[in-house]
Amino acid sequence: MKLSKPLRIIRNLLLFFFISTTVTVVVYSFMPVYVTPLMIIRSVQQVFKGESPAWHHEWVPFDKLSPHLPMAVIASEDNRFATHNGFDFIEIQKAMKENEKRKRKRGASTISQQTAKNVFLWPQSSWIRKGFEVYFTWMIEMFWSKKRIMTVYLNSIEMGKGIYGAQAAARYKFHTTAAKLTAGQCALIAATLPNPIRFDSAHPSSYILKRQGQILRLMKLVPKFPPEEPTGSKKKRNNKTFSCEEIRIFIHLQ
């Protein structure tokens, strides 16, 4: 059966979307991510405010990052990062219960979701963006290792005004390199991630110092990342599929 012209256009657009996004995700599984939509958006916002665009970013591989930094962000942002499939349904259910009584709703985005948003999407929340976020989260969980997701996350996330990634944060906040960040400095960075423009890890408020202490304590409790594997063992990919109930819970939270 021959498709009408509008249906052919829709089909071709969908094919282009799926092929182009798959290729991009695969390429980013080994190629550094030098530019993200957020970096461009922030620069444009600065221009409209009459400011000179500030954009500090330097990609570094995982072995050039302080081993304390992944532990700090896992302790602060996503305790079950190493074991979930991109969506932490335990945390989502907790957030749903808490949001029944809270005026200010809290989310339950994982590091995988934040990475998908940072690398492929825009910051403003909407149902459309959430839908794309689910898609890209599923894609990177399928094609990238957890170590790769963490590497991209720590290299792309906003860590201050015009500061993106661990290397830039280390240089401009603590006058050192990402590899030499101490546990305390990593905990300070992690404490500011919910709002890195408002909170400054280099000049922490009493609230951030309190969060730093909490994160340092949690860093001793969460499993080591990346987990050490026995020599000669082959990594098994977790191909767990999501149940209808898990999908319903995730959608309900958004």
Side-chain angles (χ1 to χ4, degrees):
M1 181 178 175
K2 191 175 181 180
L3 295 174
S4 63
K5 187 174 181 180
L7 288 177
R8 288 201 304 273
I9 292 172
I10 293 171
R11 180 201 61 188
N12 292 338
L13 287 173
L14 288 173
L15 282 172
F16 174 77
F17 171 78
F18 287 119
I19 293 171
S20 62
T21 53
T22 300
V23 169
T24 303
V25 169
V26 171
V27 168
Y28 277 160
S29 68
F30 58 88
M31 178 180 172
V33 181
Y34 293 115
V35 181
T36 67
L38 181 61
M39 295 177 192
I40 298 171
I41 290 169
R42 290 283 191 251
S43 296
V44 172
Q45 289 173 341
Q46 289 167 356
V47 170
F48 276 106
K49 289 178 182 178
E51 303 173 359
S52 297
W55 183 339
H56 306 292
H57 176 250
E58 182 181 346
W59 177 276
V60 290
F62 188 84
D63 60 3
K64 297 295 183 182
L65 296 168
S66 167
H68 302 296
L69 195 52
M71 301 301 296
V73 296
I74 287 173
S76 174
E77 301 283 300
D78 186 1
N79 295 172
R80 284 174 283 272
F81 170 70
T83 57
H84 64 58
N85 289 76
F87 306 96
D88 187 344
F89 290 99
I90 295 174
E91 202 60 33
I92 288 173
Q93 287 177 312
K94 286 182 183 178
M96 287 174 60
K97 278 191 175 182
E98 291 178 18
N99 289 344
E100 291 175 0
K101 300 177 182 178
R102 290 167 59 111
K103 288 184 179 179
R104 186 177 179 181
K105 307 297 184 183
R106 85 167 178 90
S109 291
T110 63
I111 286 174
S112 300
Q113 289 175 261
Q114 292 178 54
T115 304
K117 180 187 72 175
N118 290 339
V119 175
F120 300 104
L121 303 170
W122 58 95
Q124 285 73 26
S125 183
S126 67
W127 281 101
I128 293 174
R129 199 213 71 191
K130 282 294 181 183
F132 282 120
E133 184 182 303
V134 171
Y135 170 76
F136 280 110
T137 300
W138 173 73
M139 289 283 283
I140 65 175
E141 282 281 342
M142 181 169 63
F143 287 104
W144 300 0
S145 67
K146 287 289 187 178
K147 183 177 177 181
R148 180 61 182 178
I149 293 173
M150 179 62 73
T151 302
V152 175
Y153 175 76
L154 293 177
N155 272 285
S156 63
I157 194 168
E158 188 174 35
M159 293 184 174
K161 186 175 180 181
I163 296 174
Y164 306 93
Q167 184 75 343
R171 289 194 185 282
Y172 290 93
K173 298 289 186 179
F174 301 106
H175 309 291
T176 185
T177 64
K180 295 180 180 179
L181 287 168
T182 66
Q185 291 167 339
C186 291
L188 282 174
I189 290 173
T192 65
L193 291 184
N195 195 333
I197 303 300
R198 177 184 174 188
F199 300 118
D200 186 352
S201 56
H203 304 93
S205 63
S206 57
Y207 167 74
I208 293 299
L209 289 173
K210 181 181 177 182
R211 285 282 297 130
Q212 179 196 32
Q214 293 171 338
I215 292 168
L216 284 170
R217 288 191 291 273
L218 281 171
M219 286 167 66
K220 298 175 182 178
L221 301 176
V222 295
K224 180 178 173 58
F225 184 89
E228 295 178 355
E229 294 184 3
T231 305
S233 67
K234 292 183 179 180
K235 180 181 175 182
K236 293 182 180 179
R237 178 173 291 275
N238 189 346
N239 288 319
K240 174 184 177 291
T241 56
F242 302 118
S243 68
C244 292
E245 178 63 14
E246 286 176 330
I247 295 171
R248 185 193 66 79
I249 289 170
F250 176 78
I251 293 173
H252 180 75
L253 183 67
Q254 308 311 312

